[in-house]
Amino acid sequence: MSAFQGIWVALVTPFRNGEIDFASLDRLTARLLEDGVAGLVVCGTTGEAAALSQAEQLAVLDAVLQRVPAQRVIMGLAGNQLNALLDLQREIQRRPLAGLLVPAPYYIRPSQAGLEHFFSTLADAAEVPLVLYDIPYRTGVRIERETLRRIVRHPNIQAIKDCAGDAETTMALIADGQVQVLAGEDTQIFNTLCLGGAGAISASAHIRADLYVAMQQRVAQGDLQGARQLHYRLLPWIQAAFAEANPSAIKAALAMQGLIDDDAPRAPLLPCTAETRQRMQEVLAHLAC
């Protein structure tokens, strides 16, 4: 089983004048590596993959791979045209990387049998491990617990980003031991780690990633009190980070800290409001103490 343990950051895609800002991207990835994260997830939801062309997505991946060891990079692979996804999968797999993050096909809401077919087809074609991305509130379809259990038996599906909000399913997957369970909802990172989860794919961990890494390490060491203290220290920031559509607030916070030059997402997402910025300034000041 591949080692998807630890804190992985769902990386933003910085822009400048509407184009990818590769200088900010490089500066940000360097900082996150310094903070000790396990790896980076490129062109996921937080990376605004849906607003990027295929060529732009591959350009972001190539830029990250110039800075980050391949075994610490996961690439997003999302869509609802299976043949097109297989073509993109083949193109991505020409590059070395740790894995591919794959959500259910959005909008079309296939049956449970259709979901099994979708994931098994991509897994059969996989040359790197797949991380199943279970996020029904974005895809519009829920993968039922028993369907998930069948899907993850495929040897090429080695982890799951758990955003379904179903604690019983989370515990069942951890107890089964077929895949590594990574928290995908940031408020649930501490809970998932305590239940035996392998780690997290986190958007809010762009800020003070060192504290997220420390929390994960303290749980692994059995220091639950210390980990709990870090959870509650981070919680106000996590809540502020998702006060508006992701990644608007996170980009604003990164710009406030000089880690990216421009906080604008791509339309139809908009920069976060003045009220949210004020709240974040207060939260970040407290987090820095």
Short mmCIF file of all heavy atoms in Angstrom, two decimals, residues 163-207:
data_model
loop_
_atom_site.label_atom_id
_atom_site.label_comp_id
_atom_site.label_asym_id
_atom_site.label_seq_id
_atom_site.Cartn_x
_atom_site.Cartn_y
_atom_site.Cartn_z
N CYS A 163 -15.03 13.15 2.20
CA CYS A 163 -15.77 14.39 2.38
C CYS A 163 -17.27 14.14 2.45
O CYS A 163 -18.06 15.07 2.27
CB CYS A 163 -15.49 15.36 1.23
SG CYS A 163 -13.81 15.94 1.12
N ALA A 164 -17.68 12.91 2.69
CA ALA A 164 -19.10 12.57 2.62
C ALA A 164 -19.87 12.94 3.88
O ALA A 164 -21.11 12.99 3.85
CB ALA A 164 -19.28 11.08 2.33
N GLY A 165 -19.19 13.16 4.98
CA GLY A 165 -19.86 13.56 6.21
C GLY A 165 -20.63 12.46 6.89
O GLY A 165 -21.57 12.72 7.64
N ASP A 166 -20.23 11.22 6.65
CA ASP A 166 -20.90 10.06 7.24
C ASP A 166 -19.91 9.35 8.15
O ASP A 166 -19.04 8.59 7.68
CB ASP A 166 -21.40 9.13 6.14
CG ASP A 166 -22.16 7.92 6.66
OD1 ASP A 166 -22.07 7.63 7.88
OD2 ASP A 166 -22.84 7.25 5.86
N ALA A 167 -20.01 9.58 9.45
CA ALA A 167 -19.03 9.04 10.39
C ALA A 167 -19.01 7.51 10.39
O ALA A 167 -17.95 6.90 10.54
CB ALA A 167 -19.33 9.55 11.80
N GLU A 168 -20.17 6.88 10.21
CA GLU A 168 -20.20 5.42 10.20
C GLU A 168 -19.45 4.86 9.00
O GLU A 168 -18.77 3.83 9.11
CB GLU A 168 -21.64 4.93 10.24
CG GLU A 168 -22.33 5.19 11.56
CD GLU A 168 -23.67 4.47 11.68
OE1 GLU A 168 -23.94 3.57 10.88
OE2 GLU A 168 -24.44 4.82 12.59
N THR A 169 -19.58 5.50 7.85
CA THR A 169 -18.82 5.06 6.68
C THR A 169 -17.34 5.27 6.90
O THR A 169 -16.52 4.41 6.56
CB THR A 169 -19.30 5.80 5.42
OG1 THR A 169 -20.67 5.46 5.16
CG2 THR A 169 -18.46 5.42 4.21
N THR A 170 -16.97 6.41 7.47
CA THR A 170 -15.56 6.66 7.78
C THR A 170 -15.00 5.56 8.66
O THR A 170 -13.93 4.99 8.37
CB THR A 170 -15.40 8.02 8.50
OG1 THR A 170 -15.89 9.06 7.65
CG2 THR A 170 -13.95 8.29 8.84
N MET A 171 -15.71 5.22 9.71
CA MET A 171 -15.23 4.18 10.63
C MET A 171 -15.19 2.82 9.95
O MET A 171 -14.26 2.02 10.17
CB MET A 171 -16.10 4.15 11.87
CG MET A 171 -15.92 5.37 12.77
SD MET A 171 -16.82 5.28 14.34
CE MET A 171 -18.51 5.56 13.77
N ALA A 172 -16.19 2.52 9.10
CA ALA A 172 -16.21 1.23 8.41
C ALA A 172 -15.00 1.08 7.48
O ALA A 172 -14.36 0.03 7.44
CB ALA A 172 -17.50 1.08 7.62
N LEU A 173 -14.67 2.15 6.76
CA LEU A 173 -13.52 2.09 5.85
C LEU A 173 -12.21 1.95 6.61
O LEU A 173 -11.31 1.21 6.19
CB LEU A 173 -13.50 3.34 4.97
CG LEU A 173 -14.63 3.46 3.95
CD1 LEU A 173 -14.64 4.85 3.32
CD2 LEU A 173 -14.50 2.40 2.85
N ILE A 174 -12.09 2.66 7.72
CA ILE A 174 -10.87 2.52 8.53
C ILE A 174 -10.77 1.11 9.10
O ILE A 174 -9.71 0.48 9.06
CB ILE A 174 -10.86 3.57 9.66
CG1 ILE A 174 -10.70 4.98 9.07
CG2 ILE A 174 -9.73 3.28 10.67
CD1 ILE A 174 -10.88 6.10 10.08
N ALA A 175 -11.89 0.59 9.62
CA ALA A 175 -11.88 -0.75 10.21
C ALA A 175 -11.60 -1.82 9.16
O ALA A 175 -10.91 -2.81 9.45
CB ALA A 175 -13.21 -1.02 10.90
N ASP A 176 -12.12 -1.64 7.95
CA ASP A 176 -11.89 -2.63 6.89
C ASP A 176 -10.41 -2.73 6.53
O ASP A 176 -9.91 -3.81 6.20
CB ASP A 176 -12.67 -2.26 5.63
CG ASP A 176 -14.17 -2.49 5.77
OD1 ASP A 176 -14.59 -3.14 6.74
OD2 ASP A 176 -14.92 -2.01 4.89
N GLY A 177 -9.71 -1.61 6.54
CA GLY A 177 -8.28 -1.62 6.24
C GLY A 177 -7.94 -1.80 4.78
O GLY A 177 -6.78 -2.10 4.45
N GLN A 178 -8.90 -1.60 3.88
CA GLN A 178 -8.63 -1.78 2.45
C GLN A 178 -7.93 -0.56 1.85
O GLN A 178 -7.18 -0.69 0.88
CB GLN A 178 -9.94 -2.03 1.70
CG GLN A 178 -10.61 -3.34 2.02
CD GLN A 178 -9.84 -4.53 1.49
OE1 GLN A 178 -9.29 -4.50 0.39
NE2 GLN A 178 -9.80 -5.59 2.27
N VAL A 179 -8.22 0.62 2.39
CA VAL A 179 -7.63 1.86 1.88
C VAL A 179 -7.21 2.74 3.04
O VAL A 179 -7.70 2.59 4.16
CB VAL A 179 -8.61 2.66 0.99
CG1 VAL A 179 -8.89 1.96 -0.31
CG2 VAL A 179 -9.90 2.97 1.74
N GLN A 180 -6.33 3.68 2.75
CA GLN A 180 -5.98 4.69 3.73
C GLN A 180 -7.02 5.80 3.66
O GLN A 180 -7.33 6.30 2.58
CB GLN A 180 -4.57 5.24 3.45
CG GLN A 180 -3.49 4.17 3.67
CD GLN A 180 -2.13 4.67 3.27
OE1 GLN A 180 -1.90 5.01 2.12
NE2 GLN A 180 -1.21 4.70 4.23
N VAL A 181 -7.57 6.15 4.79
CA VAL A 181 -8.64 7.14 4.86
C VAL A 181 -8.03 8.49 5.24
O VAL A 181 -7.42 8.65 6.29
CB VAL A 181 -9.72 6.74 5.86
CG1 VAL A 181 -10.80 7.81 5.96
CG2 VAL A 181 -10.35 5.40 5.45
N LEU A 182 -8.24 9.46 4.34
CA LEU A 182 -7.74 10.82 4.53
C LEU A 182 -8.92 11.75 4.74
O LEU A 182 -9.84 11.79 3.91
CB LEU A 182 -6.94 11.27 3.31
CG LEU A 182 -5.72 10.41 2.95
CD1 LEU A 182 -5.22 10.77 1.56
CD2 LEU A 182 -4.61 10.59 3.97
N ALA A 183 -8.91 12.50 5.82
CA ALA A 183 -9.97 13.47 6.05
C ALA A 183 -9.95 14.51 4.94
O ALA A 183 -8.89 15.02 4.57
CB ALA A 183 -9.79 14.15 7.41
N GLY A 184 -11.14 14.83 4.42
CA GLY A 184 -11.25 15.85 3.40
C GLY A 184 -11.99 17.08 3.86
O GLY A 184 -11.96 18.12 3.21
N GLU A 185 -12.69 16.95 5.00
CA GLU A 185 -13.34 18.09 5.64
C GLU A 185 -12.43 18.54 6.78
O GLU A 185 -12.17 17.78 7.71
CB GLU A 185 -14.72 17.69 6.17
CG GLU A 185 -15.71 17.31 5.08
CD GLU A 185 -16.04 18.49 4.18
OE1 GLU A 185 -16.25 19.61 4.70
OE2 GLU A 185 -16.08 18.29 2.95
N ASP A 186 -11.98 19.78 6.72
CA ASP A 186 -10.90 20.19 7.61
C ASP A 186 -11.29 20.18 9.09
O ASP A 186 -10.44 19.95 9.96
CB ASP A 186 -10.39 21.57 7.19
CG ASP A 186 -9.63 21.49 5.87
OD1 ASP A 186 -9.85 20.55 5.11
OD2 ASP A 186 -8.80 22.38 5.61
N THR A 187 -12.56 20.42 9.38
CA THR A 187 -12.98 20.36 10.79
C THR A 187 -12.96 18.93 11.32
O THR A 187 -13.03 18.74 12.54
CB THR A 187 -14.39 20.93 10.97
OG1 THR A 187 -15.31 20.23 10.14
CG2 THR A 187 -14.42 22.42 10.65
N GLN A 188 -12.84 17.94 10.44
CA GLN A 188 -12.86 16.54 10.85
C GLN A 188 -11.48 15.90 10.88
O GLN A 188 -11.36 14.69 11.10
CB GLN A 188 -13.77 15.74 9.91
CG GLN A 188 -15.23 16.17 9.95
CD GLN A 188 -15.83 16.03 11.34
OE1 GLN A 188 -15.68 14.98 11.98
NE2 GLN A 188 -16.50 17.06 11.81
N ILE A 189 -10.43 16.69 10.67
CA ILE A 189 -9.09 16.10 10.63
C ILE A 189 -8.75 15.43 11.95
O ILE A 189 -8.32 14.26 11.99
CB ILE A 189 -8.03 17.17 10.28
CG1 ILE A 189 -8.26 17.68 8.86
CG2 ILE A 189 -6.62 16.58 10.40
CD1 ILE A 189 -7.36 18.85 8.48
N PHE A 190 -8.93 16.13 13.06
CA PHE A 190 -8.59 15.57 14.36
C PHE A 190 -9.40 14.30 14.62
O PHE A 190 -8.86 13.28 15.06
CB PHE A 190 -8.83 16.61 15.46
CG PHE A 190 -8.64 16.09 16.85
CD1 PHE A 190 -7.39 15.76 17.33
CD2 PHE A 190 -9.73 15.91 17.69
CE1 PHE A 190 -7.20 15.26 18.62
CE2 PHE A 190 -9.57 15.44 18.98
CZ PHE A 190 -8.30 15.11 19.45
N ASN A 191 -10.71 14.35 14.38
CA ASN A 191 -11.57 13.19 14.61
C ASN A 191 -11.09 11.99 13.80
O ASN A 191 -10.99 10.87 14.31
CB ASN A 191 -13.02 13.50 14.20
CG ASN A 191 -13.61 14.64 14.99
OD1 ASN A 191 -12.91 15.48 15.52
ND2 ASN A 191 -14.94 14.67 15.05
N THR A 192 -10.83 12.22 12.51
CA THR A 192 -10.43 11.12 11.63
C THR A 192 -9.11 10.53 12.07
O THR A 192 -8.93 9.29 12.08
CB THR A 192 -10.34 11.61 10.18
OG1 THR A 192 -11.63 12.09 9.76
CG2 THR A 192 -9.92 10.49 9.24
N LEU A 193 -8.17 11.36 12.46
CA LEU A 193 -6.88 10.86 12.94
C LEU A 193 -7.07 10.00 14.19
O LEU A 193 -6.47 8.93 14.32
CB LEU A 193 -5.94 12.02 13.23
CG LEU A 193 -5.43 12.82 12.03
CD1 LEU A 193 -4.67 14.05 12.50
CD2 LEU A 193 -4.53 11.95 11.15
N CYS A 194 -7.91 10.46 15.11
CA CYS A 194 -8.13 9.71 16.35
C CYS A 194 -8.81 8.38 16.09
O CYS A 194 -8.61 7.41 16.84
CB CYS A 194 -8.96 10.54 17.33
SG CYS A 194 -8.06 11.95 18.03
N LEU A 195 -9.63 8.30 15.04
CA LEU A 195 -10.30 7.05 14.70
C LEU A 195 -9.39 6.06 13.98
O LEU A 195 -9.76 4.91 13.78
CB LEU A 195 -11.51 7.36 13.81
CG LEU A 195 -12.70 8.03 14.49
CD1 LEU A 195 -13.69 8.54 13.46
CD2 LEU A 195 -13.38 7.07 15.46
N GLY A 196 -8.21 6.53 13.59
CA GLY A 196 -7.26 5.65 12.90
C GLY A 196 -7.04 6.01 11.46
O GLY A 196 -6.41 5.24 10.72
N GLY A 197 -7.54 7.17 11.02
CA GLY A 197 -7.30 7.62 9.67
C GLY A 197 -5.83 7.91 9.42
O GLY A 197 -5.06 8.15 10.35
N ALA A 198 -5.44 7.89 8.14
CA ALA A 198 -4.03 8.02 7.79
C ALA A 198 -3.54 9.46 7.77
O ALA A 198 -2.35 9.71 7.88
CB ALA A 198 -3.78 7.39 6.41
N GLY A 199 -4.47 10.42 7.59
CA GLY A 199 -4.05 11.80 7.49
C GLY A 199 -5.17 12.65 6.92
O GLY A 199 -6.34 12.41 7.21
N ALA A 200 -4.79 13.62 6.10
CA ALA A 200 -5.79 14.54 5.55
C ALA A 200 -5.31 15.13 4.25
O ALA A 200 -4.09 15.23 4.00
CB ALA A 200 -6.08 15.67 6.55
N ILE A 201 -6.26 15.49 3.40
CA ILE A 201 -6.01 16.39 2.27
C ILE A 201 -6.75 17.67 2.61
O ILE A 201 -7.97 17.71 2.62
CB ILE A 201 -6.49 15.79 0.94
CG1 ILE A 201 -5.69 14.54 0.59
CG2 ILE A 201 -6.37 16.83 -0.18
CD1 ILE A 201 -6.15 13.84 -0.68
N SER A 202 -6.00 18.70 2.93
CA SER A 202 -6.56 19.90 3.56
C SER A 202 -6.29 21.15 2.73
O SER A 202 -5.16 21.36 2.27
CB SER A 202 -5.95 20.07 4.96
OG SER A 202 -6.21 21.35 5.48
N ALA A 203 -7.31 21.98 2.57
CA ALA A 203 -7.13 23.28 1.93
C ALA A 203 -6.65 24.32 2.93
O ALA A 203 -5.76 25.13 2.63
CB ALA A 203 -8.44 23.73 1.28
N SER A 204 -7.22 24.32 4.13
CA SER A 204 -6.86 25.34 5.11
C SER A 204 -5.42 25.20 5.60
O SER A 204 -4.84 26.16 6.13
CB SER A 204 -7.81 25.30 6.31
OG SER A 204 -7.70 24.09 7.03
N ALA A 205 -4.80 24.03 5.40
CA ALA A 205 -3.42 23.82 5.84
C ALA A 205 -2.40 24.61 5.03
O ALA A 205 -1.20 24.53 5.30
CB ALA A 205 -3.06 22.33 5.81
N HIS A 206 -2.84 25.40 4.05
CA HIS A 206 -1.93 26.38 3.44
C HIS A 206 -1.34 27.32 4.49
O HIS A 206 -0.21 27.79 4.35
CB HIS A 206 -2.70 27.25 2.43
CG HIS A 206 -2.91 26.63 1.09
ND1 HIS A 206 -4.01 25.87 0.78
CD2 HIS A 206 -2.17 26.66 -0.05
CE1 HIS A 206 -3.95 25.48 -0.48
NE2 HIS A 206 -2.83 25.95 -1.00
N ILE A 207 -2.14 27.64 5.50
CA ILE A 207 -1.73 28.56 6.56
C ILE A 207 -1.36 27.75 7.80
O ILE A 207 -2.13 26.91 8.26
CB ILE A 207 -2.87 29.54 6.89
CG1 ILE A 207 -3.28 30.33 5.65
CG2 ILE A 207 -2.47 30.47 8.03
CD1 ILE A 207 -2.23 31.25 5.08
#
